[in-house]
Amino acid sequence: MATIKDVAKQAGVSISTVSHVLNGTRFVSEDKAYRVRQAVEALNYKPSAVARSLKTNKTYTIGMLTGSNANPFFAEVIHGVEATCYERGYHLVLCNSDDNLDKQASYLQTLEEKRIDGLLVMSAHSDPGFFEMLRDRCQWPLVILDCQAPGMEADVIMEDPEQGGYEATRHLLNNGHRSIACISGPADLSPSSQRLAGYHRALEESGIPAGWIIEGRLTAESGFEAANRLLNGLDDGQQPPSALFVGNDLMAMGVICALQTRGYRIPDDISVIGYDDIELASYTSPPLTTIHQPKAELGRLAADTLIKRIENPGRKPEVKTLRSTLVERQSVKTTM
């Protein structure tokens, strides 16, 4: 296996010149740089990652702490992160914590041992101890995805959940619905509470009182359970709402399943709108009208922001907000 000394000898330059060409740490004349690149190719030289990290004090490795890879929303964001890391020459270490505080502490220890250069955090964790632990333990440049991070020295990348909740509810109102219920995510998660706030704002603007509000856990199973709780809570002869705003697509799928099991037709009897626009939303029956989050773009922007902070550590933290958009499919009926 060729060494850096072999490359220097073949190129007729010093070892330090080879190092400067490979690491871009100092100007080298075009002639010498060309000879080094030719020698690297001819000898099939592969720089030692360990030696490189010792010399530059960087491992070109990013850690990512996620809540649950099982949620398609997370998977699509991670895809954007991976693509950017690959393009920029960084490796990604992915840690799926299931929002378990003990696992998160263990993964932070592992990432410390791997000497990562920066950390991405995308977690649905509502335990205040999580951010407290992160403040105490995180020694790297940090980017938080999809939620606020009070008191953290971190960049934040997210969409506007309050506006998204407003637009979802506004779409139902524009289609003539006046009895609109909401199946929200956990109230102690900021994206869920802000989507619910958008629902309330749209109804208040129209002078319409809020309908039934039932809290779910962002899973299809919890959406199924919430829809059944809503229907079971109706008084004898009481009509169900004409439309439901559901806090994410997985819960919306569970809601549709529960309603159809009980004999309701979607959207003829009850309209349903979701949130996230995961890939599966196009393949529900009927296809789900939803709020599209730019998930891959969210991941790409987060990874790019973190790499820029790693390479320019003096930058001030920023909050970057992406805009969500309505995707109309076939699960909302016009009643006007």
Side-chain angles (χ1 to χ4, degrees):
M1 181 180 294
T3 66
I4 192 171
K5 186 180 292 186
D6 298 326
V7 173
K9 182 178 180 181
Q10 177 144 331
V13 298
S14 68
I15 292 174
S16 63
T17 297
V18 175
S19 177
H20 291 315
V21 171
L22 297 179
N23 296 314
T25 50
R26 185 180 297 174
F27 172 77
V28 176
S29 69
E30 184 56 38
D31 175 61
K32 289 182 179 179
Y34 174 78
R35 297 199 324 253
V36 168
R37 289 192 291 269
Q38 288 291 100
V40 166
E41 184 176 348
L43 297 171
N44 194 27
Y45 172 66
K46 306 294 183 186
S48 165
V50 174
R52 186 186 185 199
S53 68
L54 290 172
K55 197 169 193 65
T56 64
N57 202 30
K58 291 173 61 178
T59 62
Y60 294 89
T61 302
I62 288 172
M64 185 170 187
L65 197 59
T66 71
S68 173
N69 291 348
N71 187 326
F73 169 81
F74 287 108
E76 292 181 44
V77 174
I78 291 167
H79 182 76
V81 170
E82 287 181 321
T84 297
C85 287
Y86 178 78
E87 291 166 4
R88 300 289 293 275
Y90 281 76
H91 302 287
L92 181 66
V93 178
L94 188 60
C95 301
N96 176 27
S97 69
D98 296 315
D99 286 322
N100 179 291
L101 206 57
D102 290 335
K103 285 183 73 174
Q104 287 168 332
S106 176
Y107 278 135
L108 286 176
Q109 177 65 38
T110 298
L111 294 172
E112 287 172 4
E113 294 169 357
K114 289 187 175 295
R115 299 180 64 243
I116 62 171
D117 295 327
L119 179 65
L120 295 167
V121 174
M122 181 173 62
S123 173
H125 214 300
S126 58
D127 189 332
F130 169 65
F131 283 112
E132 183 178 335
M133 176 182 66
L134 205 56
R135 279 192 295 270
D136 292 342
R137 298 280 300 275
C138 186
Q139 55 188 302
W140 318 282
L142 177 65
V143 172
I144 308 287
L145 291 87
D146 203 37
C147 71
Q148 297 287 356
M152 297 291 296
E153 183 75 12
D155 292 286
V156 175
I157 313 294
M158 61 187 302
E159 58 97 34
D160 187 344
E162 199 272 347
Q163 183 65 24
Y166 173 85
E167 292 180 0
T169 309
R170 187 79 254 165
H171 179 68
L172 297 174
L173 291 166
N174 289 343
N175 279 276
H177 295 279
R178 295 298 178 264
S179 175
I180 303 172
C182 179
I183 295 176
S184 72
D188 53 1
L189 296 182
S190 61
S192 296
S193 64
Q194 290 176 57
R195 290 173 194 178
L196 181 60
Y199 160 83
H200 282 295
R201 176 162 68 94
L203 293 177
E204 288 170 3
E205 283 184 1
S206 300
I208 295 173
W212 296 267
I213 299 173
I214 298 178
E215 187 175 314
R217 301 184 306 278
L218 302 177
T219 64
E221 180 184 12
S222 73
F224 186 92
E225 293 169 351
N228 279 314
R229 289 205 308 275
L230 188 156
L231 296 174
N232 292 339
L234 297 176
D235 296 330
D236 289 342
Q238 185 179 15
Q239 291 298 309
S242 71
L244 291 170
F245 166 43
V246 187
N248 79 343
D249 288 348
L250 280 182
M251 287 197 300
M253 292 174 187
V255 166
I256 288 173
C257 181
L259 294 176
Q260 291 175 335
T261 299
R262 300 280 287 260
Y264 291 94
R265 297 167 299 165
I266 313 298
D268 293 337
D269 299 323
I270 301 177
S271 293
V272 177
I273 186 169
Y275 205 109
D276 285 342
D277 192 26
I278 61 176
E279 186 177 358
L280 292 173
S282 299
Y283 302 102
T284 58
S285 181
L288 182 65
T289 294
T290 185
I291 298 296
H292 171 80
Q293 283 207 70
K295 297 168 288 301
E297 184 183 349
L298 189 74
R300 281 184 169 275
L301 181 59
D304 184 67
T305 300
L306 181 59
I307 291 169
K308 286 179 178 177
R309 177 163 294 284
I310 290 168
E311 296 175 350
N312 299 281
R315 290 176 58 251
K316 292 183 178 180
E318 298 178 84
V319 176
K320 299 179 181 179
T321 304
L322 302 178
R323 183 67 182 267
S324 295
T325 54
L326 174 72
V327 177
E328 295 186 57
R329 295 194 179 100
Q330 298 167 31
S331 63
V332 174
K333 175 185 177 181
T334 299
T335 63
M336 296 180 292

